[in-house]
Amino acid sequence: MIIFFEKDIDIEDALDKIIYISEINFSHFNFGENYKGIYISEDIDKEFILKNIDGIREMVQVNKPYKFVSREFKKEDTIVHIGNVKIGGEHFETIGGPCSFENEDGFMEIAKNLKEFGVKIVRGGAFKPRTSPYFFQGIGKDALKIMRRITLELDLKLVSEIVSTEDIEVFNEYVDIFQVGARNMQNFELLKKLGKCNKPILLKRGFSATIEEFLLSAEYIVSGGNMNVILCERGIRTFEKSTRNTLDISAVPVIKKLSHLPIIVDPSHASGRFDLVESLALASVSAGCDGIMVEVHNDPENALSDGCQSLKFKRFYNMNKKIHKIRKSLF
Ligand code: PEP
Ligand code: MN
């Protein structure tokens, strides 16, 4: 049971009172004035609670295994703020950038071009979770430092993937959004720690995760106190071999019904092919996603990772123009 308190209730006083009157195990939450209260996992006597605790606005029974990410908990869409940039609700963003940061000049060229196309958030991997230990693993902290300098210079926001709890401090210093990759969607220790951060988290769906498991991973972050979670559908593994993964397009409207969190789509990792990225992006936009994240490279043929699914500037520009046309006509 979720119990919401009135706006003007002092949460500390209310909690003291609950501890005093009952033996109930509860945890409290505070996501701003309209969303503060307590969560009780066991069966409780509603009348008893209502009679003994002042300032209750509403009691909501959430029948899903996840609570705080559910639509029952919060009816209106969550808008994630990345400084002055917003994702969710009416706010849509196209995120672009290389799979991995490779060198300063290359990243600068990509970032400058994307900025010119109106992009506000750029991506760049520094710590790469590669399938083979013999593949390029990323440049690490030095890459983050350079990307931070360039994105500040160009007034862009930066998203990069974190793979270990040990790097949280460094990421806090250099990135605007922490990305949790598909391979770490169920790294629960990492998720719990990110729940204590106050920067936005871009959580990608694991390639064999159900939507329920995906939302439970988001719940790990949100139940820790960080509501700034952007979900990302990036394709799931199926028997189909013509694409790297299979984009689960229905995940977008399904998640919109189940959760208030924004959901974006990554058609690059979903398809593994640059020639399919635009079609999947446009389909995702039509399905109602809150953003698209694609890989863009100045020289995809020679990229150190995922060149085959990376767009050149012109293709990115054309895709982005169509995305905005579709959004204008549909929403
Ligand atoms: C990435 O975005 O670079 C990445 C590794 O994606 P995923 O975790 O979805 O495979
Ligand atoms: Mn990649």
Side-chain angles (χ1 to χ4, degrees), residues 155-170:
D155 190 25
L156 289 164
K157 305 294 178 204
L158 175 65
V159 54
S160 194
E161 179 171 354
I162 182 161
V163 294
S164 161
T165 53
E166 283 170 22
D167 300 324
I168 288 181
E169 230 173 274
V170 176

Side-chain angles (χ1 to χ4, degrees), residues 1-3 5 11 15 18 24-30 36-42 67-68 223:
M1 179 75 70
I2 305 259
I3 300 174
F5 292 147
I11 193 133
L15 296 182
I18 299 161
I24 298 166
N25 274 325
F26 67 89
S27 52
H28 86 276
F29 59 86
N30 190 352
K36 60 182 181 181
I38 57 172
Y39 166 63
I40 302 170
S41 57
E42 57 199 276
K67 309 293 171 194
F68 299 120
S223 62

Side-chain angles (χ1 to χ4, degrees), residues 51-293:
K51 215 163 71 196
N52 286 285
I53 306 170
D54 300 329
I56 292 179
R57 189 188 74 217
E58 201 185 347
M59 296 174 91
V60 178
Q61 183 67 50
V62 180
N63 295 313
K64 301 279 186 332
Y66 41 85
K67 309 293 171 194
F68 299 120
V69 308
S70 72
R71 273 279 178 206
E72 284 112 310
F73 178 75
K74 185 168 182 268
K75 286 176 191 63
E76 71 271 25
D77 291 343
T78 285
I79 299 171
V80 174
H81 294 244
I82 311 112
N84 55 353
V85 180
K86 297 173 197 165
I87 293 187
E90 318 245 280
H91 308 276
F92 179 98
E93 287 300 325
T94 308
I95 303 170
C99 177
S100 308
F101 170 92
E102 296 171 10
N103 56 63
E104 182 164 348
D105 290 349
F107 188 79
M108 178 60 104
E109 190 186 341
I110 297 166
K112 268 188 175 161
N113 274 278
L114 291 175
K115 166 98 187 170
E116 218 170 277
F117 301 153
V119 167
K120 296 182 190 140
I121 308 169
V122 291
R123 59 157 290 149
F127 296 85
K128 295 304 300 176
R130 303 304 300 283
T131 304
S132 163
Y134 306 114
F135 292 163
F136 176 61
Q137 301 286 308
I139 288 165
K141 187 176 169 184
D142 287 343
L144 290 181
K145 276 191 192 168
I146 301 169
M147 289 193 288
R148 170 82 302 179
R149 181 157 45 72
I150 292 175
T151 49
L152 282 178
E153 195 181 315
L154 299 176
D155 190 25
L156 289 164
K157 305 294 178 204
L158 175 65
V159 54
S160 194
E161 179 171 354
I162 182 161
V163 294
S164 161
T165 53
E166 283 170 22
D167 300 324
I168 288 181
E169 230 173 274
V170 176
F171 271 70
N172 234 335
E173 196 177 340
Y174 295 119
V175 310
D176 300 294
I177 305 173
F178 289 71
Q179 178 175 323
V180 177
R183 290 156 190 82
N184 272 310
M185 189 206 83
Q186 288 189 315
N187 182 341
F188 300 122
E189 290 312 307
L190 178 61
L191 301 179
K192 279 188 216 166
K193 291 227 162 78
L194 295 178
K196 301 291 173 206
C197 292
N198 47 25
K199 289 209 178 174
I201 313 295
L202 195 163
L203 177 66
K204 298 187 91 174
R205 181 180 181 181
F207 34 65
S208 60
T210 62
I211 289 173
E212 186 167 293
E213 287 164 339
F214 188 21
L215 291 176
L216 280 166
S217 286
E219 183 81 7
Y220 265 96
I221 303 170
V222 176
S223 62
N226 186 355
M227 179 75 93
N228 300 307
V229 176
I230 302 162
L231 302 168
C232 179
E233 162 61 40
R234 44 78 72 210
I236 49 175
R237 186 165 281 179
T238 69
F239 51 80
E240 181 51 59
K241 290 206 174 90
S242 37
T243 48
R244 181 174 177 181
N245 291 287
T246 299
L247 178 61
D248 181 8
I249 197 95
S250 51
V252 175
V254 168
I255 286 173
K256 284 265 164 218
K257 284 197 193 303
L258 296 174
S259 176
H260 53 85
L261 295 174
I263 164 105
I264 69 167
V265 173
D266 170 353
S268 304
H269 290 87
S271 65
R273 290 172 46 176
F274 75 89
D275 60 326
L276 300 182
V277 167
E278 178 181 298
S279 308
L280 297 192
L282 299 183
S284 307
V285 172
S286 307
C289 69
D290 300 294
I292 291 287
M293 180 162 82

